[in-house]
Amino acid sequence: MVWGSRPKTLQNLINVAGSLFLAHDVPVMAKYVAGKIFHTLMKPSSLYSAGGNILPPAEHLAETLVEASRRGGTIGAMGDAILAIAPELRWYRSKSGPFASVNFARDHAHASIIGPGGIEDRDDVYVGLTVMGPYSRFPDHRRKYATAYLPLSRVEVLTDDGDWTVADPGRAFFVEEGREFAMRCTGNPLLLLWCQRTGSEA
């Protein structure tokens, strides 16, 4: 870790992500949670990581970013912003669990952009990425924190005992604290940007 000021590439990502999460057609609770997070991010940390790592599932990132770029507009700008910080991302895996696909353990990865262990290290908010290979299903799990999600590829999501619903690229959604949540993708890899506070307050 090094002391310094926020890199311009990271600030650009925050700006583009904020414009997507706070767009006029974003559901109220997703916008509310994201709004508090991006307000907090107006004050940068002074601690930054130097250099990232790579895990095999992170290779799916390139395919999803190419597709985001093809879409143009703010989705394309978001893809470009992620590509600019990609060398600094530190990827990790989470545990498997109920109903996860057989390929989940080897074919998913997360990266912390902002938060503990992120490019910008801080302990009040998280902003991160999740990537999954084709035909992957994330395990059912209960959300510890209220979380706003921004899909950059097509994703199917499930909350509690409801039905699977499709979230298209750029269509932000919200999962409240304590809710059960799962997600999956079919023939294309999944890329999801997410943000959450590190406490129970939404």
Side-chain angles (χ1 to χ4, degrees), residues 7-110:
K8 290 182 179 179
T9 52
L10 181 57
Q11 184 61 58
N12 179 59
L13 182 141
I14 292 170
N15 293 344
V16 177
S19 68
L20 284 163
F21 273 114
L22 304 178
H24 68 91
D25 58 346
V26 170
V28 172
M29 285 306 300
K31 186 183 295 189
Y32 175 73
V33 170
K36 298 189 79 169
I37 290 166
F38 285 94
H39 177 77
T40 300
L41 291 176
M42 292 176 68
K43 183 178 181 180
S45 170
S46 56
L47 190 60
Y48 296 87
S49 67
N53 72 336
I54 194 71
L55 289 175
E59 296 296 334
H60 297 301
L61 182 67
E63 183 177 346
T64 56
L65 292 182
V66 166
E67 184 59 30
S69 180
R70 286 177 182 160
R71 291 179 177 273
T74 50
I75 293 294
M78 189 74 252
D80 292 342
I82 293 170
L83 183 62
I85 66 164
E88 306 302 321
L89 292 173
R90 295 183 176 186
W91 296 91
Y92 63 95
R93 289 188 175 100
S94 57
K95 295 179 180 179
S96 190
F99 306 111
S101 58
V102 294
N103 62 328
F104 172 74
R106 69 175 184 274
D107 217 17
H108 86 282
H110 311 285

